[in-house]
Every structure is written in C-alpha cells, then in structure tokens.
Amino acid sequence: MKRDKKIMDTPDAHSTGLLKVAILVTGTIMDSLVGLSMRYSGTRDGPMFSSPTAVVMTEWVKLYLSLFLVYLQHNSFRALRKDLYSTFVSNPMDLIKVSVPSLCFVIQNNLLYVSTSYLDAATYQVTYQLKILTTALFAVLILGRKLLPTQWTALVLLVVGVAMVQISGSSDSPVPRTELYSVIGFVAVLGACFMSGFGGVYFEKILKSSDVSIWMRNVQLSLLSLPFGFMTCLISDWNKIRLHGWFYGYDFFIVYLIVLQAAGGMVVSLVIKYADNILKGFATSLAIIISWLASIYLFNFRITLLFILGVKLVIGSIFLYIRSAQVENSSEIYTKINENEEVP
C-alpha cells in the first residue's frame, strides 16, 4: 500500500518541482532586469532622483500588492480585517521579529543603489553573488544547516571568482574607474550582501516556522520597512527632498523601476518559501550571463581575460554546488524510501 501511495504522490512532487523551477527562473530574469535598470537609472541624462525615496515607494507598491493578494485569499474585507488584527495586534512579539529583516532589506536596497552608481552592471552582478556566501554562513549559524565539503569548495571558488572580477579592470564607461570609486562600490555591495544573507535567512526561519501566509508576511515586511525608509530619507537626502520635492527626477522609467523592484521582492519571498535560500542565490547567479551580454550592447562594456576567468569560476561554483545538493537530496530520498519499505 505504501508503494501505491508513493506512486500517487509522484505527480504532486513533479508539479512542486516545476513550480520551484518556474519561480527560480522568474527570479533570475527579474534580478537581471533590476541590476541593469538600476545601473541605467544612475547613468542616464537628466535630473537625478533620490534613491531613498525610490526605496520607500517600492515598499508602498509591495504593501498594496500584498494586501490585495491577502484579500484574494479571504475574498472578504471582514476576514481581511480579522487577519490583519490577529497579525499586527494580537501577536506583538512576532511583529518585532519581522522588523529585523525589514530593516535589513531597507539598508540592502539603499546600498544597492549606491553600488550600481559606482560599479558597472556586469561587475555589480558578479560581486553581488557574494550574498551566496553570506547566506550560507548565516544558514549554518542560524538554521543549523550543514554543508557538504564540495559545497564549501563551491563557495571558496565563488569568492575567488568575484575577487578576480573585482581586480579585472573591466568597465562600461570610456573613463576608467578610479580606485576610490571601485572601493566605494565594493564596500556598498558587500554590505548589501551581508544584509541580504542575514535578512533572507532570518526571514526564511520566520516563514517556515509559522502558519502565517507568505503575503501577510510581505504586508508586515513592507509596513515595517516604511518607517526605516523614511528615516533614511531624512538622514541622507532631506535637503534635496526639501528643495526639489519628493518626486524630483521621477519619470516613466523610475516608475517602471519601482514596480519592477516591488515585483522582484515578492518573487524572492516565493523563492524563500518554496525553495532554498542558498539555491536561490545560485540560480540568481545565472543573471551574470544576461547582464554581461546586455552590458556589451547597452553600456559599451569592455571585458578583460581576467574578468572572463572570474565569471567562469563563479558559474562553475554554481554547478558544483547544485550538483552536490542534488546528490545529497537523492541520498536522503533513497534512505527514506528504504526506511518506509514494508518487510514482507
């Protein structure tokens, strides 16, 4: 009987696998678009918008989208109000826990705007993959996850590859990057990697340890991110906002970028919920190829041999990690099947 049940469950497992692949592919494409769009937003002609205000507006869009999806789950305003009350009022400690990744993601998004202003799109995409390393470290520390020796080897190769890209001297501008600009861009993206790793793993722990829906968690994240975002605006860009207004420099492209980032953030939540945070990072690494090719045509990107070797190491580390994860999962499934076999 147990074997029959396994056969009946197979289509569900297959559908779940397809869902994970679809979510990861969507996340990869959106990650590429966000990186390229952010780079273009900082280099195009015209008045420069305030990036902290764009972060706040992104959270507003995510908030409304999440509220709409929560409403669709209940299909009733009364049920929606009841769910909001139980989530935000009845359980204040849970709200405090969610405020931690909220702050991390606000800092991360602001740092990404800084990094894309000082690094070319392809170098930014490659360097940002260090979030895989920070995510792995926090997954071990916070979730108690164990990595195979080959997986640690993949992470070391990732670091080496990123280091080669950083010193390669590739550029998408006729004017060579100064050492100061490179340092500022690298420090910004490194800070974003730490915020992404810690915030993502912490949020994964919250998501998978409660029965609160993923969209309600996004409502919490966005609502709690808004105060942090407003404080960032006051600290960094208050004079500019006071003189020129909140929407100074905004146009159709900035609106598109805000909506794209909001949608990308919600896709990331799906990846964290239904896949694995580290696997998410490796799947997103495929965006390097997209950004690399697009940068050649869009930003006159000039590559070097060292850059190519660094990219190959990063991509190689992706396949090494994924292969190790597949072998580990296959072993676990085989063991469980043997344990569930009925003794005749």
Side-chain angles (χ1 to χ4, degrees):
M1 293 293 292
K2 288 186 179 180
R3 289 185 178 180
D4 293 339
K5 187 177 185 302
K6 289 187 186 73
I7 294 174
M8 294 175 64
D9 289 344
T10 301
D12 294 333
H14 180 66
S15 299
T16 302
L18 290 177
L19 175 63
K20 289 182 179 181
V21 171
I23 292 173
L24 288 171
V25 170
T26 303
T28 299
I29 295 173
M30 295 195 72
D31 194 57
S32 301
L33 289 174
V34 169
L36 292 167
S37 300
M38 289 178 69
R39 174 60 178 166
Y40 177 73
S41 70
T43 58
R44 66 197 185 121
D45 297 330
M48 184 61 186
F49 68 102
S50 170
S51 56
T53 64
V55 173
V56 172
M57 296 309 300
T58 299
E59 295 303 326
W60 274 115
V61 174
K62 285 173 59 180
L63 176 61
Y64 284 115
L65 285 175
S66 300
L67 280 171
F68 176 70
L69 291 170
V70 173
Y71 168 74
L72 291 180
Q73 286 180 329
H74 297 292
N75 202 24
S76 166
F77 281 108
R78 183 175 181 180
L80 174 62
R81 288 197 302 269
K82 184 177 179 181
D83 196 5
L84 288 172
Y85 181 84
S86 63
T87 303
F88 285 90
V89 180
S90 301
N91 196 354
M93 286 304 299
D94 183 66
L95 205 59
I96 293 174
K97 292 179 182 178
V98 179
S99 66
V100 175
S102 297
L103 176 60
C104 289
F105 293 148
V106 168
I107 297 174
Q108 172 194 346
N109 289 332
N110 279 282
L111 288 174
L112 289 181
Y113 272 107
V114 175
S115 63
T116 52
S117 298
Y118 290 96
L119 296 175
D120 57 74
T123 302
Y124 155 78
Q125 281 287 4
V126 177
T127 308
Y128 190 40
Q129 301 320 305
L130 282 174
K131 64 183 178 180
I132 304 170
L133 175 64
T134 60
T135 301
L137 294 176
F138 285 119
V140 171
L141 294 174
I142 297 176
L143 301 179
R145 190 166 295 160
K146 294 182 179 180
L147 301 180
L148 297 174
T150 49
Q151 292 172 317
W152 284 113
T153 302
L155 294 174
V156 172
L157 290 176
L158 172 70
V159 174
V160 174
V162 169
M164 293 174 68
V165 167
Q166 275 296 314
I167 63 176
S168 67
S170 298
S171 177
D172 60 12
S173 172
V175 180
R177 290 183 296 164
T178 65
E179 184 177 348
L180 178 60
Y181 275 28
S182 297
V183 170
I184 293 174
F186 178 72
V187 171
V189 77
L190 187 62
C193 288
F194 273 97
M195 291 295 104
S196 174
F198 178 74
V201 170
Y202 197 93
F203 188 48
E204 178 182 349
K205 183 178 181 179
I206 295 173
L207 272 178
K208 295 182 177 180
S209 61
S210 69
D211 56 355
V212 179
S213 74
I214 184 174
W215 304 125
M216 183 57 78
R217 285 299 187 196
N218 272 285
V219 171
Q220 288 179 312
L221 274 178
S222 297
L223 199 60
L224 292 171
S225 295
L226 288 173
F228 297 131
F230 280 118
M231 283 191 293
T232 304
C233 292
L234 293 176
I235 294 171
S236 63
D237 274 13
W238 171 242
N239 288 332
K240 183 177 180 179
I241 295 171
R242 182 173 57 85
L243 290 174
H244 301 291
W246 182 271
F247 296 106
Y248 177 74
Y250 276 58
D251 55 14
F252 176 79
F253 183 81
I254 301 303
V255 173
Y256 146 80
L257 178 58
I258 289 171
V259 174
L260 181 66
Q261 284 187 294
M266 300 185 75
V267 171
V268 167
S269 298
L270 285 174
V271 173
I272 295 174
K273 178 69 175 179
Y274 294 105
D276 176 87
N277 227 308
I278 305 175
L279 191 58
K280 173 204 75 176
F282 276 91
T284 305
S285 295
L286 295 177
I288 297 170
I289 301 175
I290 301 174
S291 298
W292 181 11
L293 295 176
S295 296
I296 294 174
Y297 295 99
L298 297 177
F299 304 114
N300 192 29
F301 181 66
R302 294 177 296 174
I303 61 174
T304 65
L305 178 61
L306 193 58
F307 180 89
I308 295 175
L309 292 175
V311 170
K312 285 185 176 181
L313 269 181
V314 172
I315 300 301
S317 68
I318 296 171
F319 289 103
L320 178 60
Y321 184 92
I322 292 176
R323 178 60 181 167
S324 302
Q326 288 175 339
V327 171
E328 183 182 25
N329 291 335
S330 298
S331 300
E332 290 179 358
I333 293 172
Y334 181 77
T335 302
K336 289 179 181 179
I337 290 176
N338 286 338
E339 289 176 351
N340 292 329
E341 288 284 350
E342 288 185 334
V343 179

